[in-house]
Amino acid sequence: MPTPKEKPVLDCPFRQTLDVLEGKWKFAIIHSLLHHGTQRFKHLERDVAGITARMLIKELKLLESHGIVTRRPYPTVPPTVEYSLTECGHSLAPVIEAIQAWGMQNRTVLAAGK
Amino acid sequence: MPTPKEKPVLDCPFRQTLDVLEGKWKFAIIHSLLHHGTQRFKHLERDVAGITARMLIKELKLLESHGIVTRRPYPTVPPTVEYSLTECGHSLAPVIEAIQAWGMQNRTVLAAGK
């Protein structure tokens, strides 16, 4: 059991990681980029079911600021932008795979809780 | 790249798992229960740094409703309640460990992004 003297959890890499990946959208965006590779904005928006364009822009900017996603604009008409995972982003694969594996193992529980 | 005909992601166990574990608190609560085992409410509140009692009650109820946490009240004066992970909750250990491992590997990135 923890004692009051224990180091605050906020200083730990676990909690800092949760701050970076907060919310369900970032995991879903990383999952999509891992699964489908580099994607244009429109493709990402379609793949991350339920997300709005505004929210996707916001989440991608945050992921970019943390070095998890890179944005590559092309000088086409109309302009196109592609998003990829960085090496740091790719290193999140074990987290995404663990969530996926748990979801598959608990399909029945998840379906019952709908 | 995804096509418009692809199965909506909302139906997949990955997204359903994110819905169950939404927000940073649930991961932090499960992390604490994995690390310290069965805990009284007050100990959990102290260990999950930054959480309010009201939010902890809400999150524990949600985790209990999804079969991840069990609540055991004792007829003491004043009443005490202990919280533990169920077998299903314990099976989230690989997810928590993967997040922890990523955080440890990316300490520098996380510290820079503060």
Side-chain angles (χ1 to χ4, degrees):
Chain A
M1 279 189 189
T3 69
K5 300 267 175 197
E6 220 161 346
K7 197 185 70 155
V9 193
L10 288 170
D11 284 342
C12 90
F14 180 78
R15 285 294 292 276
Q16 288 169 351
T17 303
L18 294 184
D19 285 343
V20 167
L21 301 175
E22 195 175 6
K24 64 178 174 180
W25 295 121
K26 294 192 194 72
F27 281 111
I29 293 166
I30 295 162
H31 175 266
S32 176
L33 288 170
L34 267 174
H35 194 63
H36 299 293
T38 299
Q39 285 180 76
R40 291 193 188 170
F41 185 85
K42 278 283 163 199
H43 290 126
L44 253 180
E45 190 186 357
R46 202 186 297 146
D47 194 47
V48 182
I51 200 166
T52 60
R54 194 173 168 162
M55 182 57 83
L56 183 53
I57 290 168
K58 188 186 152 207
E59 296 291 65
L60 283 168
K61 272 191 186 160
L62 283 169
L63 288 170
E64 205 186 340
S65 76
H66 284 111
I68 291 167
V69 160
T70 49
R71 180 185 181 275
R72 194 168 173 178
Y74 291 92
T76 52
V77 180
T80 49
V81 185
E82 282 187 349
Y83 293 90
S84 317
L85 288 176
T86 61
E87 200 183 319
C88 175
H90 271 284
S91 72
L92 279 161
V95 176
I96 301 297
E97 284 159 14
I99 294 173
Q100 180 114 40
W102 190 86
M104 293 299 286
Q105 282 157 17
N106 293 276
R107 263 179 181 273
T108 327
V109 181
L110 291 167
K114 259 184 176 176
Chain B
M1 279 188 189
T3 68
K5 300 267 176 197
E6 219 162 347
K7 196 185 72 156
V9 193
L10 289 170
D11 284 342
C12 90
F14 180 78
R15 284 294 293 275
Q16 288 169 350
T17 303
L18 293 185
D19 285 344
V20 167
L21 301 175
E22 195 176 7
K24 64 179 173 181
W25 296 121
K26 294 192 194 73
F27 281 111
I29 293 165
I30 296 163
H31 176 265
S32 176
L33 288 171
L34 268 175
H35 195 61
H36 299 293
T38 299
Q39 284 180 76
R40 290 193 189 169
F41 184 85
K42 277 285 163 199
H43 290 127
L44 252 179
E45 189 185 358
R46 201 185 297 144
D47 194 48
V48 181
I51 201 166
T52 60
R54 194 173 167 161
M55 182 57 82
L56 182 55
I57 291 168
K58 188 186 151 207
E59 295 292 65
L60 284 168
K61 272 192 187 160
L62 283 169
L63 287 170
E64 204 187 342
S65 76
H66 283 111
I68 291 167
V69 161
T70 49
R71 181 185 181 276
R72 194 168 173 179
Y74 290 92
T76 52
V77 180
T80 49
V81 185
E82 282 187 349
Y83 293 90
S84 318
L85 288 176
T86 60
E87 199 183 319
C88 176
H90 271 284
S91 72
L92 278 161
V95 175
I96 302 297
E97 283 159 14
I99 295 172
Q100 179 114 41
W102 190 86
M104 293 300 286
Q105 282 157 18
N106 293 277
R107 264 178 181 272
T108 328
V109 181
L110 291 168
K114 258 184 175 174

